[in-house]
Amino acid sequence: MCGRFSLTSSTEAMQSLFGFSERPNLAPRYNIAPTTNISAIRLEEGEEGHKPHHFFAHWGLIPSWAKSPEFSARMINARSETVAEKPAFRAAYKSRRCLIPANSFFEWQKTGKSTKQPWLIGIADMPLFAFAGLWESWISPDGEKIKSCTILTTTAAKSIEFIHPRMPVILDTSDHDAWLNGKGGEDLLKPFAADRMQFYEVSSRVGNVRNDDENLIEPTDKTGTQGRLF
């Protein structure tokens, strides 16, 4: 699964990689949690055709047919193996895809019956990347419009499966267009290359959503010489 991630890159770095023209006011976020608003990129039609567009979306998909947004916390992830068939995701999978920018994500390794060790996981040669995502637009009974999103997951890369059996779908930069325009499907929903993954143990402070500071992405002393990712 993917339940926490970080995004600390500058707006300029994101514009350069994803090609959007908007200039959102982005502060570094070291511990992004579900049900908060997060950055996303979708294709939007304009005078010059379809262009990447940055927008903010509630993390936790709210299907257009939902009666309320209450269950969105259970929709933060969509399993790639079933996303095309599940009623909550299939419409968005066909026509409302997005990229969700990130620098790293967190996962927890079971170390005992009631203990878990958090790890920070990223891509060694790709400090800014994108998860494969889906988005929806939901209108409340009183007319409020809420854009929401979910992150697709797949089986973990071999190098990190000891931490957790699942991981978010991470797209290579060359696959961004194919994902957004719907031409790429199941062939993109796969574990990322195991030899490009980089990871280390971090402080248990990341488990508290109120903590959001640079120290959360620092390796703990016992991680050896692997060093900090970003």
Side-chain angles (χ1 to χ4, degrees):
M1 64 174 295
C2 178
R4 300 285 178 82
F5 67 97
S6 72
L7 179 61
T8 61
S9 292
S10 66
T11 299
E12 291 75 18
M14 289 178 57
Q15 285 178 315
S16 177
L17 180 61
F18 300 113
F20 59 82
S21 59
E22 295 81 15
R23 293 192 57 82
N25 185 15
L26 300 174
R29 298 179 67 185
Y30 299 95
N31 191 14
I32 300 174
T35 71
T36 62
N37 285 340
I38 64 175
S39 284
I41 294 101
R42 69 174 191 260
L43 289 182
E44 190 169 85
E45 190 169 3
E47 294 181 359
E48 301 178 1
H50 288 86
K51 294 283 188 178
H53 165 68
H54 177 279
F55 68 109
F56 290 104
H58 174 91
W59 183 15
L61 197 79
I62 309 170
S64 59
W65 42 260
K67 293 183 179 180
S68 78
E70 292 181 359
F71 70 112
S72 69
R74 294 178 291 163
M75 310 287 278
I76 64 170
N77 292 155
R79 292 178 67 92
S80 59
E81 297 89 343
T82 58
V83 68
E85 290 81 34
K86 289 289 186 180
F89 304 120
R90 61 190 178 196
Y93 178 71
K94 289 180 180 179
S95 59
R96 285 180 291 280
R97 299 182 180 186
C98 64
L99 304 174
I100 298 176
N103 297 115
S104 62
F105 65 98
F106 297 95
E107 194 51 81
W108 279 257
Q109 175 193 21
K110 280 190 174 183
T111 55
K113 288 185 178 180
S114 59
T115 57
K116 292 183 178 181
Q117 170 62 52
W119 291 72
L120 184 76
I121 304 170
I123 311 300
D125 60 350
M126 199 161 65
L128 175 61
F129 55 84
F131 301 132
L134 307 175
W135 69 276
E136 278 285 6
S137 184
W138 180 80
I139 301 176
S140 70
D142 60 2
E144 180 187 9
K145 183 178 289 187
I146 299 176
K147 288 184 174 64
S148 64
C149 65
T150 188
I151 296 172
L152 273 67
T153 66
T154 184
T155 53
K158 291 294 183 182
S159 56
I160 61 170
E161 63 182 2
F162 74 95
I163 301 173
H164 194 276
R166 307 277 303 172
M167 68 175 291
V169 174
I170 298 174
L171 299 170
D172 255 318
T173 303
S174 59
D175 292 326
H176 288 179
D177 289 343
W179 175 252
L180 287 177
N181 63 31
K183 293 181 180 178
E186 294 180 1
D187 57 318
L188 301 180
L189 306 181
K190 58 188 178 183
F192 201 77
D195 60 351
R196 294 171 65 187
M197 307 299 295
Q198 190 170 355
F199 44 93
Y200 52 75
E201 297 179 17
V202 293
S203 169
S204 60
R205 291 181 60 245
V206 72
N208 188 333
V209 297
R210 290 174 292 185
N211 295 327
D212 188 8
D213 58 78
E214 190 173 3
N215 290 332
L216 297 179
I217 63 173
E218 295 286 350
T220 56
D221 292 340
K222 60 183 177 181
T223 56
T225 60
Q226 195 167 19
R228 177 179 162 178
L229 279 174
F230 314 109

